[in-house]
Coordinates of all heavy atoms in Angstrom, one line a residue:
M21 N -12.1 -1.7 7.6 CA -12.1 -0.3 7.0 C -11.0 0.5 7.7 O -10.8 0.4 8.9 CB -13.5 0.3 7.3 CG -13.7 1.6 6.5 SD -13.9 1.4 4.7 CE -15.2 0.2 4.5
A22 N -10.2 1.2 6.9 CA -9.1 1.9 7.4 C -9.6 3.2 8.2 O -10.5 3.9 7.7 CB -8.2 2.3 6.3
D23 N -9.0 3.5 9.3 CA -9.4 4.7 10.0 C -8.2 5.6 10.4 O -8.3 6.5 11.1 CB -10.3 4.4 11.2 CG -9.6 3.5 12.2 OD1 -8.4 3.2 12.0 OD2 -10.2 3.0 13.2
K24 N -7.1 5.2 9.8 CA -5.9 6.0 10.0 C -6.0 7.4 9.3 O -6.6 7.4 8.2 CB -4.7 5.2 9.5 CG -3.4 6.0 9.6 CD -2.2 5.1 9.0 CE -0.9 5.9 9.1 NZ 0.2 5.1 8.5
T25 N -5.5 8.4 9.9 CA -5.5 9.7 9.2 C -4.1 10.0 8.7 O -3.1 9.7 9.3 CB -6.0 10.9 10.2 OG1 -5.1 10.9 11.3 CG2 -7.4 10.7 10.6
I26 N -4.1 10.6 7.5 CA -2.8 10.8 6.8 C -2.8 12.3 6.4 O -3.8 12.7 5.7 CB -2.6 9.9 5.6 CG1 -2.6 8.4 6.1 CG2 -1.4 10.2 4.8 CD1 -2.7 7.4 5.1
T27 N -1.8 13.0 6.7 CA -1.7 14.4 6.3 C -1.2 14.5 4.9 O -0.6 13.5 4.4 CB -0.8 15.2 7.2 OG1 0.5 14.8 7.1 CG2 -1.2 15.2 8.7
R28 N -1.3 15.6 4.3 CA -0.8 15.8 2.9 C 0.7 15.7 2.9 O 1.3 15.2 2.0 CB -1.2 17.2 2.3 CG -2.7 17.2 2.0 CD -3.1 18.4 1.3 NE -4.5 18.4 1.0 CZ -5.1 17.8 0.0 NH1 -4.3 17.2 -0.9 NH2 -6.4 17.7 -0.2
E29 N 1.4 16.1 4.0 CA 2.8 16.0 4.1 C 3.2 14.5 4.2 O 4.2 14.1 3.6 CB 3.3 16.8 5.4 CG 4.8 16.7 5.5 CD 5.3 17.5 6.7 OE1 4.7 18.5 7.1 OE2 6.4 17.1 7.3
E30 N 2.5 13.7 5.0 CA 2.8 12.3 5.1 C 2.5 11.6 3.7 O 3.3 10.8 3.3 CB 1.9 11.7 6.2 CG 2.2 12.1 7.6 CD 1.2 11.6 8.6 OE1 0.0 11.7 8.3 OE2 1.6 11.3 9.7
L31 N 1.5 12.0 3.1 CA 1.2 11.5 1.8 C 2.3 11.8 0.8 O 2.8 10.9 0.1 CB -0.1 12.1 1.2 CG -0.5 11.7 -0.2 CD1 -0.8 10.2 -0.4 CD2 -1.7 12.5 -0.7
S32 N 2.9 13.0 0.8 CA 3.9 13.3 -0.1 C 5.2 12.5 0.1 O 5.9 12.3 -0.9 CB 4.2 14.8 0.0 OG 4.9 15.1 1.2
R33 N 5.4 12.0 1.3 CA 6.6 11.2 1.5 C 6.4 9.7 1.1 O 7.4 9.0 0.9 CB 6.9 11.2 3.0 CG 7.4 12.5 3.5 CD 8.0 12.4 4.9 NE 7.1 12.0 5.9 CZ 6.4 12.9 6.8 NH1 6.7 14.2 6.7 NH2 5.6 12.4 7.6
C34 N 5.2 9.4 0.8 CA 4.9 8.0 0.3 C 4.8 8.0 -1.2 O 3.8 7.8 -1.9 CB 3.6 7.5 0.9 SG 3.6 7.3 2.7
D35 N 6.0 8.3 -1.8 CA 6.1 8.5 -3.2 C 6.6 7.3 -4.0 O 6.8 7.4 -5.2 CB 7.0 9.7 -3.5 CG 8.5 9.5 -3.0 OD1 8.8 8.4 -2.4 OD2 9.2 10.5 -3.1
G36 N 6.9 6.2 -3.3 CA 7.3 5.0 -4.0 C 8.8 5.0 -4.4 O 9.2 4.1 -5.1
Q37 N 9.5 6.0 -4.0 CA 10.9 6.1 -4.3 C 11.8 5.5 -3.2 O 11.4 5.6 -2.0 CB 11.3 7.5 -4.5 CG 10.6 8.2 -5.7 CD 11.0 7.7 -7.0 OE1 12.2 7.6 -7.3 NE2 10.1 7.2 -7.8
D38 N 12.9 4.9 -3.5 CA 13.9 4.5 -2.6 C 13.3 3.6 -1.5 O 13.7 3.7 -0.3 CB 14.6 5.7 -1.9 CG 15.3 6.6 -2.9 OD1 16.0 6.0 -3.8 OD2 15.3 7.8 -2.8
G39 N 12.4 2.7 -1.9 CA 11.9 1.7 -0.9 C 10.7 2.2 -0.1 O 10.1 1.5 0.7
R40 N 10.3 3.5 -0.3 CA 9.1 4.0 0.4 C 7.9 3.5 -0.2 O 7.8 3.2 -1.4 CB 9.2 5.5 0.4 CG 10.3 6.1 1.2 CD 10.2 7.6 1.3 NE 10.4 8.3 0.0 CZ 11.6 8.6 -0.5 NH1 12.7 8.4 0.2 NH2 11.7 9.2 -1.7
P41 N 6.8 3.4 0.6 CA 5.5 2.9 0.0 C 5.0 4.0 -1.0 O 5.4 5.1 -1.0 CB 4.6 2.8 1.2 CG 5.2 3.7 2.2 CD 6.7 3.7 2.0
A42 N 4.1 3.5 -1.9 CA 3.5 4.4 -2.9 C 2.0 4.5 -2.6 O 1.3 3.6 -2.7 CB 3.7 3.8 -4.3
Y43 N 1.6 5.7 -2.1 CA 0.3 6.0 -1.8 C -0.3 7.1 -2.7 O 0.5 8.0 -3.1 CB 0.1 6.6 -0.4 CG 0.4 5.6 0.8 CD1 0.7 4.3 0.6 CD2 0.3 6.0 2.1 CE1 0.9 3.4 1.6 CE2 0.4 5.2 3.2 CZ 0.8 3.8 2.9 OH 1.0 3.0 4.0
V44 N -1.6 7.0 -3.0 CA -2.2 8.1 -3.7 C -3.5 8.4 -3.0 O -4.1 7.5 -2.3 CB -2.5 7.7 -5.2 CG1 -1.2 7.6 -6.0 CG2 -3.4 6.5 -5.3
A45 N -4.0 9.6 -3.1 CA -5.3 10.0 -2.5 C -6.3 10.3 -3.6 O -6.0 10.7 -4.7 CB -5.1 11.3 -1.7
F46 N -7.6 10.0 -3.2 CA -8.7 10.3 -4.1 C -9.9 10.6 -3.3 O -10.3 9.8 -2.5 CB -8.9 9.1 -5.1 CG -10.0 9.3 -6.1 CD1 -9.8 10.2 -7.1 CD2 -11.2 8.7 -5.9 CE1 -10.8 10.4 -8.0 CE2 -12.2 8.9 -6.9 CZ -12.0 9.7 -7.9
H47 N -10.4 11.8 -3.5 CA -11.6 12.2 -2.8 C -11.6 11.9 -1.3 O -12.5 11.4 -0.7 CB -12.9 11.6 -3.4 CG -13.2 12.2 -4.8 ND1 -13.5 13.6 -5.0 CD2 -13.2 11.7 -6.0 CE1 -13.7 13.8 -6.2 NE2 -13.5 12.6 -6.9
G48 N -10.5 12.3 -0.7 CA -10.3 12.2 0.8 C -9.9 10.9 1.3 O -9.6 10.8 2.5
W49 N -9.7 9.9 0.5 CA -9.2 8.6 0.9 C -7.8 8.4 0.4 O -7.5 8.8 -0.7 CB -10.1 7.5 0.5 CG -11.4 7.6 1.2 CD1 -12.6 8.0 0.7 CD2 -11.7 7.2 2.5 NE1 -13.6 7.9 1.6 CE2 -13.1 7.5 2.8 CE3 -10.9 6.7 3.6 CZ2 -13.7 7.2 4.0 CZ3 -11.5 6.5 4.8 CH2 -12.9 6.8 5.0
V50 N -7.0 7.6 1.1 CA -5.6 7.3 0.7 C -5.5 5.8 0.4 O -6.0 5.0 1.2 CB -4.6 7.7 1.8 CG1 -3.2 7.3 1.3 CG2 -4.7 9.2 2.1
F51 N -4.9 5.5 -0.7 CA -4.8 4.1 -1.2 C -3.3 3.7 -1.4 O -2.5 4.6 -1.8 CB -5.5 4.0 -2.6 CG -7.0 4.3 -2.5 CD1 -7.5 5.6 -2.6 CD2 -7.9 3.2 -2.3 CE1 -8.8 5.8 -2.5 CE2 -9.2 3.5 -2.2 CZ -9.7 4.8 -2.3
D52 N -3.0 2.5 -1.1 CA -1.7 2.0 -1.2 C -1.5 1.2 -2.6 O -2.1 0.2 -2.8 CB -1.4 1.0 -0.1 CG 0.1 0.5 -0.1 OD1 0.8 0.7 -1.1 OD2 0.4 -0.1 0.9
V53 N -0.7 1.8 -3.5 CA -0.5 1.2 -4.8 C 0.9 0.6 -4.9 O 1.3 0.3 -6.0 CB -0.8 2.3 -5.9 CG1 -2.2 2.8 -6.0 CG2 0.2 3.5 -5.8
T54 N 1.5 0.4 -3.8 CA 2.9 -0.1 -3.8 C 3.1 -1.4 -4.5 O 4.0 -1.5 -5.3 CB 3.4 -0.3 -2.3 OG1 3.2 1.0 -1.6 CG2 4.8 -0.7 -2.3
E55 N 2.2 -2.3 -4.4 CA 2.3 -3.6 -5.0 C 1.8 -3.7 -6.4 O 2.0 -4.7 -7.1 CB 1.6 -4.7 -4.1 CG 2.1 -4.8 -2.7 CD 3.6 -5.2 -2.7 OE1 4.0 -6.1 -3.4 OE2 4.3 -4.6 -1.9
S56 N 1.2 -2.7 -6.9 CA 0.8 -2.7 -8.3 C 1.9 -2.5 -9.3 O 2.7 -1.5 -9.2 CB -0.3 -1.6 -8.5 OG -0.6 -1.5 -9.9
P57 N 2.1 -3.4 -10.2 CA 3.1 -3.3 -11.2 C 2.9 -2.1 -12.1 O 3.8 -1.6 -12.7 CB 3.1 -4.6 -12.0 CG 1.7 -5.2 -11.7 CD 1.3 -4.7 -10.4
L58 N 1.7 -1.5 -12.1 CA 1.4 -0.3 -12.9 C 2.0 1.0 -12.2 O 1.9 2.0 -12.8 CB -0.1 -0.2 -13.1 CG -0.7 -1.4 -13.9 CD1 -2.2 -1.2 -14.0 CD2 -0.1 -1.4 -15.3
W59 N 2.5 0.8 -11.0 CA 3.0 2.0 -10.2 C 4.4 1.8 -9.9 O 4.9 2.2 -8.8 CB 2.1 2.2 -9.0 CG 0.8 2.9 -9.2 CD1 -0.3 2.3 -9.5 CD2 0.6 4.3 -9.3 NE1 -1.3 3.2 -9.7 CE2 -0.8 4.5 -9.6 CE3 1.4 5.4 -9.1 CZ2 -1.3 5.7 -9.7 CZ3 0.8 6.6 -9.2 CH2 -0.5 6.8 -9.5
K60 N 5.2 1.2 -10.7 CA 6.6 0.9 -10.5 C 7.3 2.2 -10.1 O 7.2 3.2 -10.8 CB 7.3 0.3 -11.7 CG 8.7 -0.1 -11.4 CD 9.2 -1.0 -12.6 CE 10.6 -1.3 -12.5 NZ 11.1 -1.8 -11.3
D61 N 8.1 2.2 -9.0 CA 8.8 3.3 -8.5 C 7.9 4.6 -8.3 O 8.4 5.7 -8.4 CB 10.0 3.7 -9.4 CG 11.0 2.5 -9.4 OD1 11.2 1.9 -8.4 OD2 11.6 2.3 -10.5
G62 N 6.7 4.4 -8.0 CA 5.8 5.5 -7.8 C 5.3 6.3 -9.0 O 4.8 7.4 -8.8
D63 N 5.5 5.7 -10.1 CA 5.1 6.4 -11.4 C 4.1 5.6 -12.1 O 4.3 4.4 -12.3 CB 6.3 6.7 -12.3 CG 6.0 7.4 -13.5 OD1 5.8 8.6 -13.5 OD2 6.0 6.7 -14.6
H64 N 3.0 6.2 -12.6 CA 2.0 5.4 -13.3 C 2.0 6.0 -14.8 O 1.4 7.1 -15.0 CB 0.6 5.5 -12.7 CG -0.5 4.8 -13.4 ND1 -0.5 3.5 -13.6 CD2 -1.6 5.3 -14.0 CE1 -1.5 3.1 -14.3 NE2 -2.3 4.2 -14.5
Q65 N 2.6 5.3 -15.7 CA 2.6 5.6 -17.1 C 3.0 7.1 -17.4 O 2.5 7.7 -18.3 CB 1.2 5.3 -17.7 CG 0.8 3.9 -17.6 CD -0.5 3.5 -18.2 OE1 -1.3 4.4 -18.6 NE2 -0.8 2.3 -18.4
E66 N 3.9 7.5 -16.6 CA 4.5 8.9 -16.8 C 3.4 10.0 -16.7 O 3.6 11.1 -17.3 CB 5.3 9.0 -18.0 CG 6.5 8.1 -18.0 CD 7.4 8.1 -19.2 OE1 7.2 9.0 -20.1 OE2 8.3 7.3 -19.4
R67 N 2.3 9.7 -16.1 CA 1.2 10.6 -16.0 C 0.8 11.0 -14.6 O 0.4 12.1 -14.3 CB -0.1 10.1 -16.7 CG 0.0 10.0 -18.2 CD -1.3 9.5 -18.7 NE -1.1 9.4 -20.2 CZ -2.1 9.7 -21.0 NH1 -3.2 10.1 -20.5 NH2 -1.9 9.6 -22.3
H68 N 0.9 10.0 -13.7 CA 0.5 10.2 -12.3 C 1.7 9.8 -11.4 O 2.4 8.8 -11.7 CB -0.7 9.4 -12.0 CG -1.8 9.6 -12.9 ND1 -2.5 10.8 -13.0 CD2 -2.4 8.8 -13.8 CE1 -3.5 10.7 -13.9 NE2 -3.4 9.4 -14.4
K69 N 1.8 10.5 -10.3 CA 2.9 10.3 -9.4 C 2.3 9.9 -8.0 O 1.3 10.5 -7.5 CB 3.8 11.5 -9.2 CG 4.4 12.0 -10.4 CD 5.5 11.1 -10.9 CE 6.2 11.6 -12.1 NZ 7.1 10.6 -12.7
A70 N 2.9 8.9 -7.4 CA 2.6 8.5 -6.0 C 2.9 9.7 -5.1 O 3.8 10.5 -5.4 CB 3.3 7.2 -5.6
G71 N 2.2 9.7 -4.0 CA 2.5 10.8 -3.0 C 1.6 12.0 -3.3 O 1.8 13.1 -2.7
T72 N 0.7 11.9 -4.2 CA -0.1 13.0 -4.6 C -1.6 12.7 -4.5 O -2.0 11.6 -4.4 CB 0.1 13.5 -6.0 OG1 -0.2 12.4 -6.9 CG2 1.6 13.8 -6.2
D73 N -2.4 13.8 -4.5 CA -3.9 13.7 -4.5 C -4.3 13.7 -6.0 O -4.1 14.6 -6.7 CB -4.5 14.9 -3.8 CG -6.0 14.8 -3.6 OD1 -6.6 13.9 -4.3 OD2 -6.5 15.5 -2.8
L74 N -4.9 12.6 -6.4 CA -5.4 12.4 -7.8 C -6.8 12.8 -8.0 O -7.4 12.5 -9.1 CB -5.1 11.0 -8.2 CG -3.7 10.5 -8.2 CD1 -3.6 9.0 -8.6 CD2 -2.8 11.3 -9.0
S75 N -7.4 13.4 -7.1 CA -8.9 13.7 -7.2 C -9.2 14.5 -8.5 O -10.3 14.2 -9.1 CB -9.3 14.5 -6.0 OG -9.2 13.8 -4.8
N76 N -8.4 15.4 -8.9 CA -8.7 16.2 -10.1 C -8.1 15.5 -11.4 O -8.5 15.9 -12.5 CB -8.1 17.6 -10.0 CG -8.7 18.4 -8.9 OD1 -9.9 18.2 -8.7 ND2 -8.0 19.2 -8.2
E77 N -7.3 14.5 -11.2 CA -6.7 13.9 -12.4 C -7.4 12.6 -12.9 O -7.4 12.3 -14.1 CB -5.2 13.5 -12.1 CG -4.3 14.7 -11.8 CD -2.9 14.3 -11.5 OE1 -2.4 13.3 -12.0 OE2 -2.3 15.0 -10.7
L78 N -8.0 11.9 -12.0 CA -8.6 10.6 -12.4 C -9.8 10.7 -13.3 O -10.1 9.8 -14.0 CB -8.9 9.7 -11.2 CG -7.7 9.0 -10.6 CD1 -8.1 8.1 -9.4 CD2 -6.9 8.2 -11.6
G79 N -10.4 11.9 -13.3 CA -11.5 12.1 -14.2 C -11.1 12.1 -15.7 O -11.9 11.8 -16.5
R80 N -9.8 12.3 -15.9 CA -9.3 12.3 -17.3 C -8.6 11.0 -17.6 O -8.1 10.9 -18.7 CB -8.3 13.5 -17.4 CG -8.9 14.9 -17.2 CD -8.0 16.0 -17.5 NE -6.8 16.0 -16.7 CZ -6.6 16.6 -15.5 NH1 -7.6 17.3 -15.0 NH2 -5.5 16.6 -14.9
A81 N -8.5 10.1 -16.7 CA -7.8 8.8 -16.9 C -8.8 7.9 -17.7 O -10.0 7.9 -17.5 CB -7.4 8.2 -15.6
P82 N -8.2 7.1 -18.6 CA -9.1 6.2 -19.4 C -9.8 5.2 -18.6 O -10.9 4.7 -19.0 CB -8.1 5.6 -20.4 CG -6.8 5.8 -19.8 CD -6.8 7.0 -19.0
H83 N -9.3 4.8 -17.4 CA -9.9 3.7 -16.6 C -10.8 4.2 -15.5 O -11.5 3.5 -15.0 CB -8.8 2.8 -16.0 CG -7.7 3.5 -15.3 ND1 -8.0 4.3 -14.2 CD2 -6.4 3.7 -15.6 CE1 -6.9 4.8 -13.8 NE2 -5.9 4.5 -14.6
G84 N -10.7 5.5 -15.1 CA -11.5 6.0 -14.1 C -11.0 5.6 -12.7 O -10.0 4.9 -12.5
A85 N -11.7 6.0 -11.7 CA -11.4 5.7 -10.3 C -11.6 4.3 -9.9 O -11.2 3.9 -8.8 CB -12.1 6.7 -9.4
G86 N -12.3 3.5 -10.6 CA -12.7 2.1 -10.3 C -11.4 1.3 -10.0 O -11.5 0.3 -9.2
M87 N -10.3 1.6 -10.6 CA -9.1 0.8 -10.4 C -8.7 0.9 -8.9 O -8.0 0.0 -8.5 CB -8.0 1.3 -11.3 CG -7.4 2.6 -11.0 SD -6.4 2.6 -9.6 CE -5.0 3.6 -10.0
L88 N -9.0 1.9 -8.2 CA -8.6 2.0 -6.8 C -9.3 1.0 -5.9 O -8.9 0.7 -4.8 CB -8.9 3.4 -6.3 CG -8.0 4.5 -6.9 CD1 -8.4 5.9 -6.4 CD2 -6.5 4.2 -6.5
E89 N -10.4 0.4 -6.4 CA -11.1 -0.7 -5.6 C -10.2 -1.9 -5.6 O -10.4 -2.8 -4.8 CB -12.4 -1.0 -6.3 CG -13.4 0.1 -6.2 CD -14.7 -0.2 -7.0 OE1 -14.8 -1.3 -7.5 OE2 -15.5 0.7 -7.1
R90 N -9.2 -2.0 -6.4 CA -8.3 -3.2 -6.4 C -7.1 -3.1 -5.5 O -6.3 -4.0 -5.4 CB -7.8 -3.4 -7.9 CG -8.8 -3.6 -8.9 CD -8.3 -3.7 -10.3 NE -9.3 -3.6 -11.3 CZ -9.1 -3.2 -12.5 NH1 -7.9 -2.9 -12.9 NH2 -10.1 -3.1 -13.3
V91 N -6.9 -1.9 -4.9 CA -5.8 -1.7 -4.0 C -6.3 -1.4 -2.6 O -7.4 -0.9 -2.4 CB -4.8 -0.6 -4.5 CG1 -4.2 -1.0 -5.9 CG2 -5.5 0.7 -4.6
P92 N -5.4 -1.7 -1.6 CA -5.9 -1.4 -0.2 C -6.1 0.1 0.1 O -5.3 0.9 -0.3 CB -4.7 -1.9 0.7 CG -3.9 -2.8 -0.2 CD -4.1 -2.3 -1.6
R93 N -7.2 0.4 0.8 CA -7.4 1.7 1.3 C -6.7 1.8 2.7 O -7.0 1.0 3.5 CB -8.9 2.0 1.4 CG -9.2 3.5 1.7 CD -10.6 3.8 1.5 NE -11.4 3.4 2.7 CZ -12.7 3.6 2.8 NH1 -13.4 4.0 1.8 NH2 -13.2 3.2 4.0
V94 N -5.9 2.8 2.9 CA -5.1 2.8 4.1 C -5.5 3.9 5.1 O -5.0 3.9 6.2 CB -3.6 2.9 3.8 CG1 -3.1 1.6 3.1 CG2 -3.2 4.1 3.0
G95 N -6.3 4.8 4.6 CA -6.7 5.9 5.6 C -7.4 7.0 4.9 O -7.7 7.0 3.7
K96 N -7.6 8.1 5.7 CA -8.4 9.2 5.4 C -7.4 10.4 5.3 O -6.6 10.6 6.2 CB -9.4 9.5 6.4 CG -10.3 10.7 6.1 CD -11.6 10.3 5.5 CE -12.5 11.4 5.3 NZ -13.0 11.6 4.0
L97 N -7.4 11.2 4.2 CA -6.6 12.3 4.0 C -7.1 13.5 4.8 O -8.3 13.8 4.7 CB -6.5 12.7 2.5 CG -5.6 13.8 2.1 CD1 -4.1 13.4 2.4 CD2 -5.7 14.1 0.7
I98 N -6.3 14.1 5.6 CA -6.7 15.3 6.4 C -5.9 16.5 6.0 O -4.8 16.4 5.5 CB -6.7 15.0 7.9 CG1 -5.3 14.7 8.4 CG2 -7.7 14.0 8.3 CD1 -5.1 14.7 9.8

């Protein structure tokens, strides 16, 4: 279980651009979507951006938050 803490500023720098990792937050947890082909260059279907908190957005996504179970959880958003 990940116990690293990640600030919103640190999260924003993990945007998947220029070789940086692609992280997203959801309900206080941070997930690494870098290796997912669905998050190429930190962009998911031109709807969601890496480096952001998706807590309010995933409720409107067709797949829901269950997809985050497929990627590593890297820490807690503080």
Side-chain angles (χ1 to χ4, degrees):
M21 196 64 57
D23 56 8
K24 178 180 178 180
T25 57
I26 299 170
T27 66
R28 289 187 181 276
E29 183 179 330
E30 291 169 323
L31 174 65
S32 71
R33 290 192 299 260
C34 296
D35 61 2
Q37 298 291 307
D38 301 320
R40 292 184 294 272
Y43 289 1
V44 295
F46 183 71
H47 290 298
W49 293 105
V50 178
F51 299 87
D52 184 347
V53 295
T54 305
E55 298 300 318
S56 172
L58 299 174
W59 282 91
K60 185 169 173 50
D61 298 322
D63 181 76
H64 180 62
Q65 299 183 347
E66 298 180 9
R67 292 180 179 221
H68 308 293
K69 300 289 184 192
T72 62
D73 185 345
L74 300 179
S75 297
N76 293 325
E77 296 179 34
L78 281 182
R80 297 184 304 266
H83 51 65
M87 69 75 138
L88 292 173
E89 295 173 5
R90 301 178 194 155
V91 298
R93 189 169 83 182
V94 294
K96 183 95 173 127
L97 184 64
I98 58 168

